[in-house]
Amino acid sequence: MQVSSLNEVKIYSLSCGKSLPEWLSDRKKRALQKKDVDVRRRIELIQDFEMPTVCTTIKVSKDGQYILATGTYKPRVRCYDTYQLSLKFERCLDSEVVTFEILSDDYSKIVFLHNDRYIEFHSQSGFYYKTRIPKFGRDFSYHYPSCDLYFVGASSEVYRLNLEQGRYLNPLQTDAAENNVCDINSVHGLFATGTIEGRVECWDPRTRSRVGLLDCALNSVTADSEINSLPTISALKFNGALTMAVGTSTGQGKIFTSLEPEHDLNDVCLYPNSGMLLTASETPKMGIYYIPVLGPAPRWCSFLDNLTEELEENPESTVYDDYKFVTKKDLENLGLTHLIGSPFLRAYMHGFFMDIRLYHKVKLMVNPFAYEEYRKDKIRQKIEETRAQRVQLKKLPKVNKELALKLIEEEEEKQKSTWKKKAKDLPNILTDDRFKVMFENPDFQVDEESEEFRLLNPLVSRISEKRKKKLRLLEQQELREQEAEEEPEGKPSDAESSESSDDEKDWVEEVRKQRRLLQQEEQAQRQAQLREDRQAVLKPQFYEIKAGEEFRSFKDSATKQKLMNKTLEDRLKLEAKNGTLNVSDTTVGSKQLTFTLKRSEQQKKQQEAEKLHRQERKQLRRSAGHLRSRSRSRARRGRSFH
């Protein structure tokens, strides 16, 4: 809770402090309250008392139980129940709300004036009816005896809408070009409107005629006042039967007190019969202020009176310019820990207050060479300013230093090139947070000895040597600067400039050299593998055959693998040669393929056995036929003999 005072009027800001997100669990909220002092000391009168982006208007129902506020984005209205200290409901709207009025004692009847000239009526259940006014509206008021709504805006006319008849009545014609605000006295029903010319016109709703005119702009300007434009009426409110408050755009009037929030205010609402102010500003959080001089705290937060009384009894100590705040560690460095508990030190929060003269004397005694340190700091600053005009030292990361140096060189060449203006600016890997780990984690170190890196970068040996020279020069330069900071920075070696441009001509030789080295390494690895194979003792290996399959030989799998590696044309030729494929021409000129499925060894043996069996049966039938024919011929011969 923040306390401010102006004209001896104390204002307690109850909405200041950190706000916790809605998605946090209760456990995390309690943990934050234990760790963070600001979260623990904040006061949250109403839960989720905020809007998504901006709050535009705020009002309190006549019974004091409900607080309604409108805001964006998306346009919406939220109703808070003060008895439950939480959100009761929320409704989204079609457009932003200029202002609204609560017609009933609770939230059951509400009228909204939108910025697109629409008037929207809501009941307790939700949206009820919508209509439109001829000109853009700025404010409206409700006349209870006649059930008329009076709308003022960007027009000289005051539009009247009768809610009992459900139709527009004849408007009131004012002398002003435009009207900003309006209000109706609840005692005698006088209607007043504030114009942009700085006048207040009063009308009698019964006779529909003007009964008074008050020129506030002329009366507010005096010889002592300084204004740059004509004062217009920006606020208007009745208080009782005979009192009316008028606010101008230039701010004339006697100041009672003032609020200075961080963001601009859109609307202010005074809670009835209390000293609580509710504000709507250009921020998601809605403001709650308590001014005890205006009245007591509302019934639903009566504890504020006791809290403010305790704060007034124990006022906070004033911090003066002639005192210095020191911590216990500072006292140990100054050797003044023996003064703890004496009148020279005053305990405050996590440290102490001491006289600023005593602090300077003790510091001068403890550190008599403070001026020398100050002088060295100034010299160091001058040296750093001169270094800014020369070549800056490149700060290289710990991991992938050569890659970082390569990226820096490419960036410098890009800046020197003539097509810099035409080229599209691309993000630098060194400054991109997505690649930050690449130069911090050793697991991302580039392996320059790998085969892929050496083949993709054939000139890596020559270029890496140049970069290593640069790295050594940079490290030496950094060491020299650390040893003697006051000496001028040494110039880098010009060994780079002496390097010729033969890299582009000799890249073929470098590629061949790298390939020969890779072939030698592969040959050495094969020889080492052969020696290991010769020394190794061969052991029998066992293979498991799946159910339903029979073991043929390892040669079949090798043959099958070779066959699968061949093209489709070669496989078709081989199958045609083996007799498993038959290609023939059809009558219509197309090709016809006939495949013969291969049989297993067991099926082949069974087929051969069946074939032999059939041949044996044929031989038996033939021999039996011969015997029968012989017996018949013998019988014929015997008959002929007889």
Side-chain angles (χ1 to χ4, degrees):
M1 184 171 60
Q2 185 178 0
V3 184
S4 60
S5 178
L6 182 66
N7 294 338
E8 297 182 357
V9 178
K10 288 191 174 182
I11 303 174
Y12 297 90
S13 178
L14 307 177
S15 59
C16 66
K18 297 181 179 179
S19 59
L20 300 178
E22 300 177 359
W23 44 266
L24 278 182
S25 61
D26 295 337
R27 183 177 180 181
K28 291 185 178 180
K29 289 181 180 179
R30 289 194 297 268
L32 284 176
Q33 290 177 357
K34 292 179 181 179
K35 295 179 181 179
D36 199 334
V37 180
D38 296 335
V39 176
R40 186 167 61 251
R41 291 182 177 178
R42 70 189 180 97
I43 297 176
E44 189 178 10
L45 291 181
I46 302 175
Q47 187 178 4
D48 301 332
F49 196 62
E50 58 185 11
M51 282 288 171
T53 307
V54 174
C55 182
T56 55
T57 55
I58 185 168
K59 292 184 184 297
V60 182
S61 61
K62 293 181 177 61
D63 58 2
Q65 182 179 355
Y66 303 102
I67 301 175
L68 286 90
T70 61
T72 57
Y73 178 80
K74 299 179 179 179
R76 67 191 66 203
V77 57
R78 287 184 174 181
C79 179
Y80 296 90
D81 191 349
T82 57
Y83 291 175
Q84 302 296 330
L85 301 178
S86 61
L87 180 66
K88 186 173 182 63
F89 67 85
E90 178 185 15
R91 298 173 187 171
C92 289
L93 306 173
D94 295 334
S95 58
E96 296 184 11
V97 176
V98 177
T99 183
F100 69 96
E101 189 71 27
I102 305 172
L103 304 183
S104 60
D105 293 339
D106 53 3
Y107 65 90
S108 58
K109 295 179 182 179
I110 311 173
V111 182
F112 296 96
L113 174 61
H114 294 273
N115 60 354
D116 55 355
R117 297 193 289 120
Y118 273 104
I119 303 166
E120 195 169 322
F121 297 87
H122 281 232
S123 63
Q124 188 173 4
S125 58
F127 172 78
Y128 182 75
Y129 184 73
K130 179 189 288 188
T131 185
R132 206 171 191 185
I133 57 177
K135 297 294 181 66
F136 289 97
R138 296 175 183 173
D139 197 8
F140 72 96
S141 296
Y142 181 63
H143 188 252
Y144 284 90
S146 61
C147 298
D148 289 344
L149 282 174
Y150 289 79
F151 295 94
V152 297
S155 175
S156 60
E157 296 179 340
V158 179
Y159 303 107
R160 296 189 301 152
L161 176 62
N162 188 272
L163 300 184
E164 185 179 5
Q165 301 177 17
R167 66 185 182 92
Y168 282 100
L169 304 178
N170 293 330
L172 304 178
Q173 184 66 42
T174 64
D175 295 338
E178 295 179 359
N179 296 278
N180 292 332
V181 292
C182 64
D183 192 23
I184 295 178
N185 194 300
S186 59
V187 179
H188 46 69
L190 185 67
F191 172 75
T193 175
T195 66
I196 61 172
E197 290 85 0
R199 298 188 182 95
V200 176
E201 296 187 10
C202 298
W203 293 72
D204 188 355
R206 298 171 297 180
T207 61
R208 298 185 298 279
S209 61
R210 190 174 67 186
V211 295
L213 179 64
L214 180 63
D215 196 345
C216 298
L218 182 61
N219 296 329
S220 62
V221 177
T222 61
D224 300 333
S225 60
E226 296 180 1
I227 58 173
N228 298 324
S229 61
L230 180 67
T232 61
I233 306 301
S234 58
L236 180 66
K237 192 68 177 178
F238 282 103
N239 184 19
L242 302 175
T243 308
M244 179 178 63
V246 179
T248 59
S249 60
T250 53
Q252 274 79 23
K254 184 179 179 181
I255 297 179
F256 173 70
T257 187
S258 65
L259 298 173
E260 295 183 2
E262 298 180 359
H263 305 275
D264 296 336
L265 294 177
N266 294 327
D267 193 14
V268 178
C269 176
L270 178 64
Y271 196 89
N273 303 322
S274 71
M276 178 173 287
L277 278 176
L278 305 174
T279 62
S281 58
E282 294 288 327
T283 181
K285 185 182 290 187
M286 291 177 279
I288 304 177
Y289 298 91
Y290 177 49
I291 306 175
V293 180
L294 297 180
R299 183 176 57 183
W300 50 274
C301 56
S302 57
F303 62 89
L304 291 176
D305 291 329
N306 300 329
L307 184 62
T308 54
E309 288 176 2
E310 291 178 1
L311 292 176
E312 291 178 358
E313 291 176 358
N314 301 321
E316 295 183 357
S317 58
T318 307
V319 180
Y320 299 98
D321 294 336
D322 53 352
Y323 280 87
K324 174 70 175 177
F325 180 79
V326 292
T327 61
K328 191 174 181 180
K329 187 177 181 181
D330 296 335
L331 293 176
E332 292 177 356
N333 296 333
L334 297 174
L336 298 178
T337 54
H338 61 282
L339 295 180
I340 297 177
S342 65
F344 296 100
L345 296 177
R346 181 179 178 181
Y348 181 77
M349 294 180 67
H350 62 284
F352 305 90
F353 275 113
M354 66 181 300
D355 193 281
I356 190 67
R357 294 170 295 179
L358 177 61
Y359 174 78
H360 286 312
K361 287 181 181 179
V362 175
K363 189 175 182 181
L364 185 61
M365 294 173 60
V366 173
N367 190 6
F369 302 102
Y371 176 74
E372 294 294 333
E373 294 179 358
Y374 172 77
R375 181 174 174 273
K376 289 182 179 180
D377 292 337
K378 285 296 182 181
I379 294 173
R380 188 179 296 108
Q381 291 177 5
K382 291 291 184 181
I383 293 172
E384 290 178 356
E385 290 178 0
T386 55
R387 284 176 184 169
Q389 302 175 359
R390 298 197 302 262
V391 179
Q392 296 291 331
L393 178 64
K394 300 181 180 69
K395 298 294 183 180
L396 298 177
K398 298 181 180 179
V399 183
N400 290 327
K401 289 185 178 181
E402 295 188 5
L403 178 60
L405 186 60
K406 176 184 176 184
L407 295 173
I408 292 172
E409 292 175 355
E410 291 178 355
E411 189 68 22
E412 291 176 353
E413 292 177 359
K414 188 187 298 183
Q415 292 178 359
K416 295 178 182 178
S417 61
T418 57
W419 50 269
K420 176 187 175 185
K421 297 181 180 179
K422 298 181 181 179
K424 185 179 179 181
D425 293 336
L426 298 176
N428 193 357
I429 297 179
L430 293 173
T431 58
D432 199 337
D433 294 337
R434 296 175 297 176
F435 303 95
K436 185 179 180 181
V437 186
M438 185 177 176
F439 300 99
E440 294 179 354
N441 193 347
D443 296 337
F444 292 94
Q445 178 68 41
V446 177
D447 187 9
E448 298 182 0
E449 300 297 330
S450 61
E451 180 180 352
E452 295 82 1
F453 182 84
R454 292 168 64 180
L455 285 177
L456 292 175
N457 300 271
L459 302 178
V460 67
S461 58
R462 190 182 294 266
I463 297 174
S464 61
E465 286 296 330
K466 293 199 302 183
R467 292 208 181 98
K468 287 177 181 178
K469 290 180 182 179
K470 278 192 177 182
L471 289 174
R472 288 195 295 268
L473 292 172
L474 291 173
E475 290 175 357
Q476 293 175 3
Q477 186 178 359
E478 188 174 351
L479 289 174
R480 286 198 299 270
E481 288 191 353
Q482 291 178 358
E483 293 175 356
E485 294 182 355
E486 298 182 0
E487 294 181 2
E489 185 179 4
K491 296 183 179 180
S493 176
D494 55 352
E496 297 176 8
S497 59
S498 62
E499 293 291 337
S500 61
S501 59
D502 295 337
D503 295 335
E504 297 179 356
K505 300 178 181 179
D506 300 339
W507 67 274
V508 177
E509 297 180 359
E510 291 290 340
V511 172
R512 292 175 179 175
K513 182 179 178 181
Q514 293 294 332
R515 285 184 177 177
R516 286 196 298 270
L517 290 175
L518 290 174
Q519 290 175 359
Q520 292 176 3
E521 292 177 359
E522 291 178 358
Q523 187 176 1
Q525 290 179 359
R526 286 197 298 269
Q527 291 178 358
Q529 187 66 29
L530 288 173
R531 287 195 296 269
E532 291 179 0
D533 294 341
R534 291 172 183 174
Q535 295 176 1
V537 180
L538 296 178
K539 295 181 180 180
Q541 296 182 357
F542 298 93
Y543 297 91
E544 183 178 358
I545 301 176
K546 294 182 180 180
E549 294 184 359
E550 59 176 288
F551 175 73
R552 300 175 184 174
S553 66
F554 292 106
K555 295 182 179 180
D556 294 341
S557 59
T559 305
K560 186 177 181 181
Q561 185 66 27
K562 291 181 180 179
L563 184 63
M564 292 300 294
N565 293 333
K566 293 184 178 181
T567 61
L568 178 62
E569 183 181 2
D570 296 338
R571 282 184 286 175
L572 291 176
K573 290 180 180 179
L574 183 62
E575 290 179 357
K577 185 178 180 181
N578 295 334
T580 57
L581 176 65
N582 185 19
V583 182
S584 60
D585 296 331
T586 61
T587 56
V588 296
S590 60
K591 296 287 185 178
Q592 181 177 358
L593 300 178
T594 305
F595 292 92
T596 304
L597 297 178
K598 293 183 178 180
R599 294 181 176 83
S600 60
E601 296 293 335
Q602 185 176 1
Q603 291 177 350
K604 289 180 179 179
K605 292 179 180 179
Q606 186 176 1
Q607 187 177 4
E608 292 177 356
E610 290 177 355
K611 187 176 181 180
L612 292 174
H613 181 66
R614 285 195 297 270
Q615 291 178 358
E616 291 177 355
R617 292 182 63 183
K618 286 181 181 180
Q619 291 179 359
L620 290 174
R621 282 197 295 270
R622 288 176 182 175
S623 59
H626 287 302
L627 291 174
R628 283 196 297 272
S629 59
R630 288 179 182 177
S631 60
R632 287 175 185 173
S633 60
R634 288 177 182 175
R636 289 175 185 172
R637 290 176 184 175
R639 290 175 186 172
S640 61
F641 179 75
H642 289 292

